[in-house]
Amino acid sequence: MDPPTKSWSIHTRPEITTKYEILELIGSGSYADVYRGRRTSDGITVALKEIHDHQSASREIDALRILRGSENVVFMHEFFWREDEDAVLVLEFLRTDLAAVIKEVSGAGEGEGFSVGEVKRWMKMIVSGVHCCHVNRIVHRDLKPQNFLVSDDGVLKLADFGQARILMESGFDASNHASSSQHPHDAISLSHYSNQIEFGNQEDDEEKISHDEYFRVLDELKIQSHTYDTDDKDTNTHDGNTSCLATCTTTDDDEDDYLWKNSLPYEGDEEGGNELGFLTSCVGTRWYRAPELLFGSTNYGLEVDLWSLGCVFAELFTLKPLFQGTTDIDQISRIISVLGDINEDVWHGCSKLPDYAAISFNKVENPIGLEGCMVNQLDDEVSFVRRLVCYDPARRATAMELLHEKYFCEEPLPVPVSQLRIPVTKNE
Ligand SMILES: Nc1ncnc2c1ncn2[C@@H]1O[C@H](COP(=O)(O)OP(=O)(O)OP(=O)(O)O)[C@@H](O)[C@H]1O
């Protein structure tokens, strides 16, 4: 029998077009096309995200269901997904993003920038969104200004969970994530199970299932299907050709291919085992990618998000990306020229990273330090970034710690959201 033909357009899907008027294409990413639409029942504007990649769709749906109700995470109204078609997510519509906000402020004029109170408000919303992910054991893996969408009234919402992974270990402690361990099979896709609970249009059913009930059923299904995931481990691959601004686009096939051709890299090299199982190092966008990923780690955790967060904060302060590498090697080299040489003294365990020995860099005698990249910034601003942009993942501040930073409680205080400057258009 021929495989079912895949629909590549939501225009041909009556279950969607009867409920939503599709207005225009508003953006396309590595895996998805996003349309502006109007819900016919009440006229509200929505974003319809048609995702062409099964794994990416599954990850995004899983994460958004768990994070439903978080103020600083994009809200998913419902989703449509049948086996032979692309998933279509109906999301709240958010006109602009943090990249556009930064661009607008940097173009405002000589000497202009964010006020301290504005930066603090943006940072608080960012940390709050990431904290929601991390307490729910979700690692986003692609934090960058473009993925922080912004509503017309200035509320920032974390979006684009196509690369997110969910940790399932019950004893996992987000505040102590660096030392926790997990069996690879514990990193699973919830959609795999949730499709057994509900299928098709999810909105009505979902209202009837509480968060606890959802996880109880998932746990039962997980026990029943304990053999699942043996063919679904992520593994290390290299991404020399990915653009510095684009999300890395390693596919399942690439990962599977690697799995067949290579023994699993890095297995058992580190005490305590894996936190997420075997993961691909080819995630995220190069400028915001943590050094452990650049060195090919397949055994990383929430800390990769914390590095990215530090890079985004530095960009809020200086209005330009912190490390603008043109290749992965160039990216590492720029990081080293700022933070200094990478060795066991500054980062315990770095020499075990898969690509550590494969790449050697000239010794940097006088690294310029973060203060050299943030010359006009106050000491506490540089210190804030330093708590995240540091080599050893175990030393990065957690999102929970950041939320309680005294920086946010000191004068000048974060401005009200209503005082933030919101651009009328988005970066292309
Ligand atoms: N809820 C939304 N409201 C308005 N625009 C959105 C929304 N979600 C996504 N977009 C826009 O659609 C475009 C593509 O979306 P998105 O980045 O999520 O897709 P992707 O394929 O996962 O992207 P990437 O290549 O960054 O991984 C982006 O310009 C984004 O800002």
Side-chain angles (χ1 to χ4, degrees):
M1 200 171 77
D2 289 338
T5 36
K6 212 171 184 194
S7 160
W8 289 93
S9 171
I10 58 174
H11 295 275
T12 60
R13 313 236 324 239
E15 77 275 23
I16 299 173
T17 52
T18 50
K19 285 183 88 174
Y20 297 95
E21 187 187 347
I22 298 154
L23 299 171
E24 81 251 352
L25 182 71
I26 49 175
S28 291
S30 321
Y31 306 103
D33 293 314
V34 182
Y35 301 83
R36 190 166 69 90
R38 187 179 298 121
R39 188 158 68 187
T40 40
S41 62
D42 57 7
I44 67 155
T45 302
V46 293
L48 296 152
K49 180 169 181 175
E50 182 177 29
I51 305 178
H52 312 306
D53 173 75
H54 176 93
Q55 188 178 53
S56 180
S58 157
R59 287 175 172 169
E60 184 135 20
I61 291 167
D62 294 339
L64 290 178
R65 291 181 64 152
I66 290 171
L67 297 170
R68 207 167 188 197
S70 307
E71 196 194 352
N72 297 112
V73 174
V74 69
F75 181 78
M76 179 173 67
H77 293 285
E78 63 174 323
F79 68 92
F80 298 86
W81 200 5
R82 282 205 283 254
E83 214 143 89
D84 57 342
E85 287 169 329
D86 289 340
V88 173
L89 279 53
V90 183
L91 306 168
E92 66 175 311
F93 178 79
L94 296 153
R95 191 166 40 88
T96 193
D97 60 37
L98 190 65
V101 172
I102 294 172
K103 190 175 175 208
E104 170 110 333
V105 169
S106 62
E110 197 60 25
E112 280 285 333
F114 291 108
S115 69
V116 177
E118 281 178 299
V119 171
K120 285 185 182 178
R121 176 56 63 198
W122 286 118
M123 285 169 75
K124 272 201 91 166
M125 292 193 285
I126 292 169
V127 175
S128 154
V130 174
H131 174 62
C132 284
C133 296
H134 288 190
V135 292
N136 282 289
R137 306 171 192 167
I138 294 170
V139 54
H140 184 280
R141 304 201 296 182
D142 193 16
L143 296 180
K144 58 180 173 181
Q146 290 81 356
N147 285 340
F148 292 108
L149 302 183
V150 178
S151 71
D152 286 347
D153 46 8
V155 181
L156 174 142
K157 313 241 180 178
L158 179 52
D160 194 359
F161 285 80
Q163 302 230 3
R165 290 294 297 264
I166 301 162
L167 307 167
M168 288 296 287
E169 189 187 48
S170 54
F172 180 78
D173 174 1
S175 63
N176 187 28
H177 53 268
S179 59
S180 65
S181 65
Q182 186 176 25
H183 191 275
H185 295 184
D186 287 341
I188 63 162
S189 160
L190 291 186
S191 281
H192 175 82
Y193 300 111
S194 59
N195 282 343
Q196 298 175 41
I197 306 170
E198 302 160 18
F199 205 67
N201 180 346
Q202 305 291 308
E203 190 169 56
D204 299 338
D205 290 347
E206 194 169 46
E207 299 304 341
K208 294 177 199 146
I209 297 179
S210 72
H211 191 265
D212 289 348
E213 175 68 0
Y214 180 62
F215 278 101
R216 190 189 60 72
V217 177
L218 283 174
D219 281 347
E220 277 173 12
L221 287 165
K222 190 180 170 194
I223 292 161
Q224 286 164 20
S225 345
H226 64 278
T227 53
Y228 170 71
D229 207 34
T230 48
D231 297 329
D232 192 38
K233 299 185 195 92
D234 289 343
T235 61
N236 178 30
T237 55
H238 295 273
D239 66 333
N241 295 325
T242 52
S243 138
C244 52
L245 273 177
T247 301
C248 184
T249 53
T250 299
T251 63
D252 259 352
D253 292 345
D254 296 334
E255 294 180 27
D256 288 348
D257 202 34
Y258 188 88
L259 188 64
W260 281 108
K261 289 183 194 145
N262 301 272
S263 58
L264 288 169
Y266 205 44
E267 184 173 9
D269 272 359
E270 205 167 73
E271 265 184 10
N274 280 340
E275 187 168 304
L276 294 179
F278 299 104
L279 300 169
T280 176
S281 59
C282 187
V283 283
T285 302
R286 183 181 303 121
W287 291 356
Y288 306 90
R289 198 178 299 156
E292 58 269 34
L293 296 174
L294 293 164
F295 279 106
S297 174
T298 55
N299 182 25
Y300 53 85
L302 300 172
E303 309 89 348
V304 298
D305 284 349
L306 299 168
W307 173 278
S308 310
L309 214 52
C311 295
V312 173
F313 290 163
E315 193 165 335
L316 277 172
F317 288 126
T318 65
L319 305 179
K320 60 176 201 294
L322 182 59
F323 303 119
Q324 302 182 53
T326 52
T327 62
D328 287 0
I329 304 282
D330 183 47
Q331 185 72 17
I332 303 174
S333 147
R334 284 167 190 260
I335 293 170
I336 290 175
S337 69
V338 173
L339 299 186
D341 299 324
I342 299 179
N343 53 47
E344 286 286 334
D345 293 340
V346 293
W347 178 0
H348 176 65
C350 69
S351 60
K352 290 181 185 162
L353 291 168
D355 296 336
Y356 182 81
I359 317 166
S360 64
F361 294 90
N362 291 336
K363 201 166 167 42
V364 178
E365 297 298 343
N366 295 306
I368 62 169
L370 282 171
E371 57 281 8
C373 303
M374 301 175 66
V375 278
N376 296 321
Q377 280 3 103
L378 302 169
D379 287 348
D380 57 352
E381 294 170 344
V382 180
S383 304
F384 202 105
V385 173
R386 193 176 288 120
R387 297 194 62 200
L388 297 161
V389 179
C390 60
Y391 285 137
D392 188 347
R395 296 173 69 128
R396 291 176 205 151
T398 63
M400 168 75 94
E401 287 165 354
L402 296 176
L403 271 185
H404 293 106
E405 266 287 321
K406 67 176 184 343
Y407 176 71
F408 291 122
C409 310
E410 291 167 349
E411 296 284 345
L413 294 172
V415 300
V417 169
S418 58
Q419 285 179 24
L420 294 170
R421 287 173 274 174
I422 310 302
V424 287
T425 54
K426 186 159 65 176
N427 276 352
E428 289 309 314

